[in-house]
Amino acid sequence: MGKSELCLFHLFFVHLLCFPANGDQRTSSSVHRTTVQQSSSSSSTSSPETARKLHPRPSDKLNPKTINPFGEQSRAPSAFAAIYSKGGIPCRLVHGSVKHRLQWECPPENLPFDPLLITLAEGLRETRHPYTFVSKEGFRELLLVPGASEKAVPLLPRLIPVLKAALVHLDDEVFARGLNALVQLSVVVGPSLNDHLKHLLTSLSKRLRDKKFKEPITSALQQLEQHGGNGSLIIIKSKIPTYCSICC
């Protein structure tokens, strides 16, 4: 091999030593960028929120996400809920180990029925806890105080439309609470309810077609007759001809 050939071979060998390193560097940089991108993509899809969306858990259907009451999309509180949250209802729910109860700020017999009894009747249309329990139990306990009849009778013209609103409600539990409240009211006011009874019987007649309410409505009508006397029977029969009197 001549001297010129040795020089060329030397240059070629130097070239092989230098340029592969640059090529490896470019390859390494490219691999690094690809790894970073894959890592970023993986982290974005592996977040708990994204994972739940891609692979929902069975419990998500059984335990739907609770609506944030302070969120912008939460519905406005009802009139009863607003009054209750501001302390306008002088009682609070006490959670017991077996059952709940109400704790009154002062003895219920010392409280004015106007407008408290009407407010509690409006709360019968609530569908959320604790409003459902507070309105139902508060209405019942207020009617049990001594002298409730004298306090409740003057409020009947305002109470009846409120009770009717509960009886025409589509929610079965709301209707049931309204029906119980009507019976409780009839026990207290007696025949005074007869003048307003016709406004409520249409709703009861429609619900009689529902098998699950046939028995409780029939029982309620019997109690209305019992506490309202003969006058109530005439009114009931005029609206519900199929009703059988307890005196038969």
Side-chain angles (χ1 to χ4, degrees), residues 75 78-81 118-128 131-133 135-136 158-178 181:
R75 61 181 178 177
S78 63
F80 181 84
I118 298 173
T119 302
L120 290 169
E122 291 174 343
L124 296 172
R125 300 197 303 274
E126 293 289 336
T127 57
R128 293 179 295 172
Y131 313 127
T132 52
F133 181 85
S135 58
K136 176 186 67 174
R158 295 157 60 192
L159 269 175
I160 297 306
V162 177
L163 288 179
K164 182 179 179 181
L167 293 174
V168 300
H169 203 283
L170 296 178
D171 189 287
D172 289 347
E173 293 184 1
V174 172
F175 171 79
R177 287 194 293 271

Side-chain angles (χ1 to χ4, degrees), residues 32-109:
H32 176 72
R33 287 195 300 269
T34 303
T35 303
V36 171
Q37 291 172 355
Q38 290 177 347
S39 175
S40 175
S41 175
S42 175
S43 63
S44 63
T45 58
S46 62
S47 65
E49 186 65 26
T50 306
R52 283 195 296 268
K53 292 180 180 179
L54 295 176
H55 304 287
R57 298 169 297 182
S59 60
D60 290 339
K61 295 181 180 180
L62 299 175
N63 303 301
K65 183 179 179 182
T66 303
I67 299 176
N68 180 6
F70 303 102
E72 296 180 357
Q73 302 299 323
S74 62
R75 61 181 178 177
S78 63
F80 181 84
I83 294 174
Y84 181 79
S85 63
K86 294 178 181 178
I89 311 296
C91 61
R92 282 293 177 268
L93 172 64
V94 178
H95 293 273
S97 57
V98 178
K99 63 179 182 179
H100 304 323
R101 65 180 181 85
L102 289 183
Q103 179 177 339
W104 296 86
E105 296 177 1
C106 64
E109 54 268 24

Side-chain angles (χ1 to χ4, degrees), residues 190-191 194 223-236 247:
N194 291 346
Q223 294 184 69
L224 291 174
E225 179 189 355
Q226 178 183 353
H227 300 293
N230 293 332
S232 63
L233 176 59
I234 297 173
I235 299 171
I236 293 173
C247 299

